Structure formats: structure tokens, C-alpha cells
């Protein structure tokens, strides 16, 4: 088979590939446990389009979430960290860099009033520095403000 529609994968051989009803496109080998492209609506009904490399690891992911956000993620081959372009349900865009543990470590975003912000986080995903349009805020490891300007 080179394509399957409306079926689930025969087995759960690859953990990174969701087992959802949808459209699956396979490579020329026809391994029905390992699609290269899939289009499906997850259990919550929101659509997802995913592309997988020859090792069956996700490389590109496009999702509309239950909150109304649009998410475009790119996964490099050599690490599990990723780059995500995100537009929230209220229309505020952001670029997020995520580490191997799926914690957002850096983000560039437009906040309320379309104010640009750069946020840097520690290994736990807690903000440590935020640079906004008119301010710079530094936090300690517990999230307490240790310095702020102006």
C-alpha cells in the first residue's frame, strides 16, 4: 500500500507516529506501520498534518489546537529540540525554541498592544530574563524578580 484512508495503523511499532484515523501516505517500501505523511483529526477533533523522515521521526508538524492557536513546528534530525512558530487564539504570534525536554527556553513574541518581548527561560522552563519594549526584568531560580529597569 502507498496510501491508506480512514484507518488506524496496524501496530504501534513507532511511538512518534500517532494512532489516529486519517490519511496516511507511505514511502515506496509500503511499510504500513510507518507513514511518511499523515493528515488526521486528533481525538479532540483538531486537524494535524505531519511529515516524517526515513527514520520515522517527526520533522514538520502543522496543527490547529483546541484553543484556536495555529502551530508550525520544525524538528531537526540530530536532536529532539525544536523551533515552533505559534499564533495564539487571540492572534499574538511567537517564535519558540524548545529543548530536548520540550521546555520552552527562548521565545520572541508580540504581547498585549503588539509589544515585542524576548524571553529567556532556565532548564525548568521558568522565565529568567524578559526584555520588553521599555523594560528589562531578571528573575531568580524561584521566579522572584531580582532586577528591573526602568
Amino acid at each position: 500500500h502507498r496510501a491508506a484512508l480512514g484507518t488506524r495503523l496496524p501496530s504501534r511499532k513507532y511511538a512518534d507516529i500517532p494512532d489516529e484515523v486519517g490519511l496516511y501516505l507511505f514511502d515506496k517500501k509500503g511499510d504500513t506501520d510507518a507513514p511518511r505523511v499523515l493528515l488526521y483529526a486528533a481525538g479532540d477533533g483538531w486537524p494535524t498534518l505531519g511529515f516524517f523522515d526515513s527514520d520515522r521521526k517527526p520533522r514538520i508538524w502543522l496543527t490547529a489546537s483546541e484553543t484556536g492557536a495555529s502551530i508550525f513546528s520544525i524538528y531537526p534530525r540530530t536532536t529532539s529540540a525544536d523551533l515552533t512558530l505559534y499564533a495564539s487564539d487571540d492572534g499574538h504570534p511567537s517564535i519558540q525554541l524548545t529543548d530536548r525536554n520540550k521546555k520552552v527556553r527562548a521565545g520572541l513574541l508580540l504581547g498585549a498592544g503588539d509589544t515585542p518581548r524576548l524571553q529567556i527561560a532556565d532548564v525548568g522552563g521558568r522565565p529568567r530574563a524578559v526584555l520588553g519594549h521599555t523594560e528589562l526584568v531578571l528573575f531568580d531560580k524561584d521566579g522572584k524578580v531580582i532586577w528591573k529597569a526602568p
Side-chain angles (χ1 to χ4, degrees):
H1 295 99
R2 296 292 298 270
L5 176 61
T7 62
R8 292 186 180 274
L9 294 176
S11 74
R12 296 298 298 137
K13 189 172 173 181
Y14 300 98
D16 288 330
I17 300 174
D19 182 27
E20 299 286 348
V21 173
L23 173 65
Y24 296 85
L25 300 178
F26 305 98
D27 62 16
K28 62 185 174 186
K29 295 176 190 172
D31 181 355
T32 58
D33 286 323
R36 295 298 298 272
V37 178
L38 69 90
L39 174 62
Y40 71 97
D44 57 13
W46 294 96
T48 296
L49 176 63
F51 296 86
F52 298 85
D53 66 15
S54 59
D55 295 326
R56 310 311 191 239
K57 298 293 183 190
R59 298 300 302 278
I60 298 173
W61 214 247
L62 180 60
T63 302
S65 77
E66 67 275 1
T67 65
S70 299
I71 305 164
F72 178 73
S73 297
I74 300 172
Y75 303 93
R77 180 178 286 256
T78 58
T79 180
S80 59
D82 63 38
L83 167 74
T84 300
L85 305 176
Y86 181 88
S88 65
D89 58 340
D90 59 3
H92 291 108
S94 69
I95 299 172
Q96 300 174 345
L97 299 175
T98 308
D99 68 14
R100 294 172 194 233
N101 298 315
K102 303 298 179 202
K103 300 287 186 181
V104 175
R105 299 297 303 278
L108 180 60
L109 59 122
L110 287 179
D114 291 331
T115 303
R117 289 180 25 180
L118 173 64
Q119 183 170 308
I120 309 294
D122 63 17
V123 295
R126 293 176 300 272
R128 296 301 297 269
V130 176
L131 175 61
H133 178 67
T134 59
E135 69 178 356
L136 172 63
V137 182
L138 302 178
F139 301 89
D140 69 10
K141 63 183 169 105
D142 297 319
K144 181 180 174 188
V145 174
I146 57 174
W147 190 81
K148 184 176 180 179

